[in-house]
């Protein structure tokens, strides 16, 4: 069987791609393409994070997925592939890119007997860092402006995959979604459109969020928060600031300022 491993990178449209593939599972199955539930956060997740997470030195503390042993989840995936009647299986998680050389070798052995093609999207380092900084700010961190040129963090990680497999590398662009599915032999036009995840916002909004992130979400800070937001009735009216989640609050701010 042909197995496509979409290994990332993060900040290259991965979440949107995963949502697209997961929500088109029935359409894909009719074409002989399997996007398994196995390996995802059953009932909620659309990415196969359990697979790479099981091979990281430490299960990510931020993950809502309960830890699972590598031999268990990869053994289950091997059984799934061996029983499957699909002609193609697609697995996707940007965490794959962070695996060590030994873990990449583990993946190769676990999928032995299948034709495995990893696919990675590469973004310009400076552009990637801007996107990552924006993501961290949106999640509630206070992030200082960078003082040094961006380093190529993805290159050495991709080299580990390229040494073990015939890695397909695609440049990040506005057409990245179609480019990735085309590399898998799929036609984007045949799939039901997925809404973009992690939508971008302007630098002005991000810098305002960065200021807000330095202020605790508490009723004691309501007046100060209002000053930063300007007319904040659409964000703060009728809510208890002590009960707000930071990332959810920031999304409300983004939606409000986009009006």
């Amino acid at each position: 069987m042909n197995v496509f491993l979409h290994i990332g990178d993060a900040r290259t449209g991965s979440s949107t791609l995963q949502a697209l593939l997961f929500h088109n599972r029935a359409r894909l199955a009719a074409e002989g393409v399997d996007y398994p539930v196995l390996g995802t956060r059953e009932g909620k997740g659309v990415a196969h994070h359990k697979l790479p997470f099981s091979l990281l030195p430490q299960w990510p503390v931020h993950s809502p997925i309960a830890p699972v042993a590598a031999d268990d989840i990869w053994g289950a995936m091997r059984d799934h592939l061996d029983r499957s009647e699909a002609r193609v299986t697609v697995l996707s998680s940007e965490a794959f890119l962070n695996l060590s050389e030994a873990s990449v070798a583990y993946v190769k052995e676990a999928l032995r007997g299948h034709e495995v093609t990893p696919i990675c999207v590469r973004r310009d380092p400076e552009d990637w860092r801007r996107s990552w900084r924006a993501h961290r700010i949106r999640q509630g961190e206070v992030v200082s402006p960078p003082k040094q040129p961006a380093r190529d963090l993805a290159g050495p990680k991709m080299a580990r995959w390229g040494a073990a497999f015939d890695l397909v590398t695609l440049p990040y662009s506005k057409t990245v979604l179609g480019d990735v599915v085309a590399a898998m032999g799929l036609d984007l036009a045949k799939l039901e459109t997925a809404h973009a995840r992690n939508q971008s916002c302007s630098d002005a909004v991000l810098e305002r969020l960065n200021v807000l992130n330095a202020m605790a979400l508490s009723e004691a800070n309501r007046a100060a928060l209002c000053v930063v937001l300007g007319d904040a009735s659409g964000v703060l009216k009728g809510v208890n600031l002590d009960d707000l989640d930071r990332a959810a609050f920031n999304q409300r701010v983004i939606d409000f300022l986009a009006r």
Side-chain angles (χ1 to χ4, degrees):
M1 176 191 294
N2 290 325
V3 179
F4 288 102
L5 288 181
H6 170 244
I7 64 174
D9 193 2
R11 318 309 307 160
T12 62
S14 297
S15 297
T16 300
L17 173 69
Q18 290 151 4
L20 173 76
L21 296 173
F22 188 88
H23 294 300
N24 279 279
R25 289 182 68 246
R27 292 175 185 236
L28 292 170
E31 299 289 332
V33 179
D34 181 27
Y35 190 80
V37 171
L38 178 64
T40 69
R41 184 186 178 197
E42 288 85 350
K44 296 183 179 180
V46 295
H48 299 99
H49 292 325
K50 285 184 179 180
L51 294 166
F53 282 6
S54 72
L55 295 171
L56 294 175
Q58 181 180 358
W59 194 273
V61 295
H62 64 272
S63 172
I65 306 171
V68 60
D71 288 350
D72 291 343
I73 188 63
W74 282 98
M77 181 56 70
R78 177 59 185 249
D79 290 344
H80 176 85
L81 293 175
D82 290 346
R83 294 194 308 267
S84 176
E85 296 181 357
R87 60 180 180 82
V88 171
T89 294
V90 178
L91 304 174
S92 176
S93 170
E94 51 271 44
F96 276 123
L97 189 59
N98 292 322
L99 296 186
S100 66
E101 182 179 352
S103 293
V104 172
Y106 181 103
V107 173
K108 187 170 185 176
E109 177 60 25
L111 300 180
R112 183 165 48 88
H114 298 283
E115 190 68 32
V116 180
T117 304
I119 298 175
C120 186
V121 177
R122 185 162 195 171
R123 191 166 184 168
D124 172 79
E126 287 287 355
D127 190 32
W128 188 94
R129 184 169 65 179
R130 283 193 294 271
S131 180
W132 181 241
R133 180 174 183 267
H135 173 71
R136 292 169 60 199
I137 290 173
R138 291 175 66 148
Q139 292 302 305
E141 293 184 51
V142 178
V143 186
S144 301
K147 297 181 180 179
Q148 301 293 334
R151 293 184 294 121
D152 179 13
L153 301 178
K157 301 175 183 179
M158 293 169 59
R160 293 196 285 267
W161 284 91
F165 297 96
D166 290 330
L167 175 68
V168 174
T169 304
L170 301 172
Y172 178 74
S173 69
K174 292 182 179 179
T175 63
V176 66
L177 202 62
D179 295 341
V180 173
V181 298
M184 298 174 180
L186 308 178
D187 184 355
L188 184 62
K190 293 183 178 180
L191 303 179
E192 185 177 321
T193 303
H195 293 293
R197 307 278 290 272
N198 303 321
Q199 293 176 322
S200 62
C201 54
S202 70
D203 289 343
V205 171
L206 285 173
E207 295 315 314
R208 190 172 296 189
L209 286 179
N210 211 23
V211 173
L212 291 170
N213 288 343
M215 306 164 63
L217 287 180
S218 68
E219 288 298 318
N221 285 339
R222 180 178 287 273
L225 289 165
C226 284
V227 170
V228 176
L229 286 169
D231 177 11
S233 61
V235 179
L236 301 182
K237 185 177 181 180
V239 300
N240 184 342
L241 294 179
D242 294 318
D243 294 336
L244 281 182
D245 170 80
R246 186 99 236 179
F249 172 72
N250 283 351
Q251 186 58 54
R252 293 178 67 167
V253 172
I254 293 169
D255 294 341
F256 170 71
L257 294 177
R259 293 177 183 174

